[in-house]
Amino acid sequence: MKTFKITYILAAAIGLTGLSACDKFLDTTPDNRATVDSEEKVISLLGSAYSENDHILIAEFYSDNVDNYGIQYTGTSRFFDSIYEWSELEESNNESTERIWGSYYSAIASANQAIVAIDELGGPETSIALSQALGEAYLCRAYSHFVLVNMFCLQYNKQTSTTDLGIPYMTKPETTLAPHYDRGNVADVYAKIEEDLEKGLALVGDDNYTVPKYHFNKLAAYAFAARFYLFYEKYDQVIKYADLCLGSSPSTMLRDYDVLATMPNGSPQQQPTTLHYVDPSVNANLLLFTAFSVMGQAFGAYSTASMYSHGAYLAKNEDCQATQPWGNSAYKDAPAVYVGSMDRVIFWRCPRIFQYTDPVAGIGFIRTVYPALSTDECLLNRAEAYVHLGDYNKACEDLNLWVHNCNTTKSDMTPASIKAFYDGVDYWEWNKSTVKKRINPVFGTVEEGSQEEAMYQCILAAKRVESLGLGQRWFDVKRFGIEIHRRSMDLKGYPEKLTDSMPLDDPRRAIQLPVRVIAAGVTPNPRS
């Protein structure tokens, strides 16, 4: 059995500069060398094939789900300032681009080492456990690259992705000290993700873990496939895998909002509610990620980042408290409203969990848990796929199923009612918010005022409510070519001044690579 050295791409990308005795270093067995010579060790290794530094906070604050309340509230930091202003991130913390980049590539390195170790153990034919472990490794590798390409690159589209800069796609453990990494293009990255995804789908199982929701399992793999193929513009595949995920009775798979409706809402601490939201026993939760993150504070009842907030104006005019095609905002799990020390309207979704490193000194890390994949999102992805294929009635069936599960409304939407609703709504302006923003999708032209546009608007509205505080809105902004803006709010919480805009061709839609990665020679994203 070989001994493998895990070398993370972040360290490689920054060249390990400053080492003056490279020969001596390479002659020494590093501390992170691991011998993987059994099924148990392979399965254990795959526990590190999931990133612990995540993208959801940056993605949420990059999106149009926050406004600037700086005239009233001062809770901020240089890190939050940079995110909100879409400027280059030079801060280093647990949610910086450097940590995201490094942690996801570390997860990829673990997946790659597991793949090689399985081959050394005789391959997936040796046992069911190794076969399922190999499926998980491929899925982890695909998922991590999927997050990275969507954070640090322009959105996939058939017109420009063959020339748009991609990310390095790592398929084997790194063995050199300072390798050169070619970013390739977005189309190539997507093709490689698809290859890994299909390999993983053929092998993944549910038998290796007592709590499979913290690892790729069959249903999570199907949900990931549905999301990936939606982004990849292969809509028949979206429906295929969403059907496999949701089964013949999807209503039994959705989130238990009737239970959430009975739980506390509005008090300063909502741990019971948020912990139930991420409970692995809940059918809707397919894959749960733990992360070093203050998301539970920044989208919670805390003054963290109170300057940049999802406030009452956004909620009442654009999403969770606004009138939508399905009617009123009577959600069973009603949004929590906070005024006084902040202007914030949220759903309780990401718990704030403090992990003590020294209980006596009272120091440690703030973490959270969130559903990286859920049945509710999968259902809405299938609804969107039906719209792409022109089957608006099927799309309405899924939209109505979603609405009746989370909202008390008794009415059903139809294609005609959805179009009539949006015909009566003005397009969004920076100083006059509405639930209808102009869309210029990367997947093709959509005529304004058409039935097709109305259906996409409804899908976007549902997804915005469903994913509030979970970082997914940013990717819909990119896919649908939504121009977003930055505005400062007045003392009454209304738009006062437009401070910045991100038009459709803005290169900032691809978040810049970490400073140290660029300094090591990896090609940066273009900037104006």
Side-chain angles (χ1 to χ4, degrees):
M1 171 54 55
K2 291 183 179 179
T3 300
F4 299 98
K5 183 180 73 175
I6 304 175
T7 303
Y8 302 130
I9 191 173
L10 177 64
I14 61 178
L16 295 176
T17 54
L19 291 173
S20 59
C22 287
D23 290 339
K24 184 176 180 181
F25 174 81
L26 291 173
D27 288 339
T28 305
T29 302
D31 291 337
N32 66 352
R33 179 166 295 203
T35 301
V36 187
D37 55 5
S38 68
E39 289 181 359
E40 292 76 13
K41 289 182 179 180
V42 169
I43 293 169
S44 177
L45 174 62
L46 285 171
S48 61
Y50 301 85
S51 175
E52 284 197 310
N53 298 91
D54 225 303
H55 66 288
I56 61 171
L57 187 143
I58 287 182
E60 190 74 11
F61 279 80
Y62 248 67
S63 78
D64 52 354
N65 279 347
V66 290
D67 282 319
N68 186 339
Y69 287 84
I71 195 171
Q72 297 182 71
Y73 309 111
T74 58
T76 187
S77 66
R78 288 199 302 175
F79 177 67
F80 280 105
D81 292 343
S82 297
I83 300 172
Y84 180 81
E85 295 166 2
W86 305 316
S87 56
E88 307 304 301
L89 290 169
E90 298 182 0
E91 301 296 310
S92 181
N93 59 34
N94 278 329
E95 287 164 297
S96 65
T97 53
E98 182 176 303
R99 292 292 179 89
I100 293 169
W101 179 275
S103 187
Y104 271 103
Y105 273 116
S106 295
I108 292 165
S110 294
N112 285 337
Q113 185 177 353
I115 291 169
V116 174
I118 290 168
D119 181 65
E120 291 290 328
L121 286 167
E125 300 83 6
T126 305
S127 69
I128 293 175
L130 282 182
S131 176
Q132 293 187 4
L134 183 60
E136 182 183 1
Y138 281 127
L139 288 165
C140 288
R141 189 166 79 181
Y143 183 85
S144 290
H145 283 109
F146 179 72
V147 171
L148 289 167
V149 75
N150 282 288
M151 284 292 287
F152 294 103
C153 305
L154 296 175
Q155 180 60 44
Y156 173 85
N157 68 85
K158 294 178 180 177
Q159 289 72 44
T160 66
S161 286
T162 55
T163 55
D164 291 335
L165 283 172
I167 54 165
Y169 203 96
M170 307 298 293
T171 59
K172 59 183 66 175
E174 187 54 67
T175 58
T176 58
L177 181 62
H180 171 74
Y181 291 109
D182 182 6
R183 290 187 61 176
N185 61 65
V186 172
D188 286 343
V189 174
Y190 264 71
K192 291 172 182 175
I193 293 172
E194 181 179 31
E195 182 179 351
D196 278 346
L197 173 60
E198 292 295 339
K199 288 178 181 177
L201 286 164
L203 298 170
V204 69
D206 302 330
D207 301 326
N208 282 351
Y209 304 99
T210 56
V211 187
K213 297 289 185 74
Y214 285 99
H215 298 264
F216 265 108
N217 52 77
K218 285 185 178 180
L219 295 185
Y222 295 148
F224 173 41
R227 183 194 292 176
F228 169 74
Y229 282 117
L230 188 68
F231 284 40
Y232 205 17
E233 303 177 22
K234 296 186 178 183
Y235 306 116
D236 288 327
Q237 293 289 84
V238 178
I239 295 170
K240 170 187 172 181
Y241 287 111
D243 286 349
L244 288 170
C245 176
L246 298 167
S248 59
S249 183
S251 61
T252 65
M253 297 295 294
L254 300 182
R255 190 166 297 282
D256 52 355
Y257 281 107
D258 289 325
V259 174
L260 281 167
T262 67
M263 303 189 78
N265 190 340
S267 62
Q269 302 296 330
Q270 289 293 311
Q271 284 296 76
T273 306
T274 54
L275 290 176
H276 176 78
Y277 190 87
V278 298
D279 192 318
S281 68
V282 173
N283 286 343
N285 294 327
L286 301 177
L287 178 62
L288 294 168
F289 272 18
T290 62
F292 294 104
S293 175
V294 298
M295 197 64 176
Q297 294 183 185
F299 261 68
Y302 302 86
S303 60
T304 303
S306 60
M307 181 180 290
Y308 309 116
S309 191
H310 182 271
Y313 185 83
L314 266 173
K316 292 176 181 177
N317 292 284
E318 296 192 29
D319 48 63
C320 64
Q321 292 183 322
T323 300
Q324 302 281 8
W326 49 87
N328 59 33
S329 58
Y331 298 100
K332 297 174 183 178
D333 177 29
V337 179
Y338 296 95
V339 294
S341 61
M342 68 192 113
D343 184 336
R344 187 169 291 168
V345 180
I346 58 167
F347 291 112
W348 280 98
R349 288 173 174 167
C350 291
R352 179 192 183 275
I353 302 170
F354 196 85
Q355 178 183 345
Y356 286 98
T357 54
D358 186 337
V360 176
I363 58 175
F365 299 101
I366 298 172
R367 300 183 68 126
T368 194
V369 181
Y370 75 97
L373 295 163
S374 72
T375 55
D376 300 75
E377 183 220 344
C378 189
L379 179 70
L380 293 176
N381 286 342
R382 185 171 73 178
E384 184 186 326
Y386 281 130
V387 176
H388 286 288
L389 297 174
D391 195 338
Y392 302 149
N393 289 322
K394 279 284 192 181
C396 280
E397 288 180 17
D398 282 348
L399 283 165
N400 286 322
L401 182 58
W402 174 81
V403 168
H404 293 317
N405 183 60
C406 67
N407 195 288
T408 61
T409 183
K410 303 299 182 183
S411 60
D412 282 330
M413 292 179 288
T414 66
S417 72
I418 291 172
K419 186 175 186 305
F421 174 83
Y422 285 107
D423 283 347
V425 177
D426 293 332
Y427 282 105
W428 185 98
E429 297 179 23
W430 76 265
N431 58 351
K432 186 181 179 182
S433 283
T434 71
V435 295
K436 185 169 75 171
K437 291 190 172 183
R438 284 187 165 85
I439 60 174
N440 298 273
V442 298
F443 49 78
T445 303
V446 175
E447 181 183 353
E448 286 191 359
S450 65
Q451 179 70 63
E452 181 185 24
E453 187 211 18
M455 296 302 297
Y456 285 131
Q457 292 283 359
C458 189
I459 293 288
L460 285 166
K463 285 189 169 185
R464 193 172 186 183
V465 171
E466 176 61 35
S467 67
L468 184 62
L470 297 175
Q472 283 295 312
R473 172 66 176 177
W474 170 240
F475 304 115
D476 284 340
V477 166
K478 292 176 69 174
R479 290 194 308 117
F480 279 88
I482 299 172
E483 182 172 313
I484 58 176
H485 304 79
R486 291 309 191 212
R487 59 192 179 185
S488 56
M489 312 299 276
D490 63 20
L491 288 171
K492 294 182 179 180
Y494 288 87
E496 181 177 55
K497 182 180 180 182
L498 181 68
T499 57
D500 199 0
S501 298
M502 184 180 283
L504 308 182
D505 60 351
D506 197 314
R508 292 177 295 178
R509 288 177 179 258
I511 295 174
Q512 189 57 275
L513 272 55
V515 172
R516 291 203 296 162
V517 173
I518 296 171
V522 180
T523 305
N525 287 324
R527 287 294 184 260
S528 299

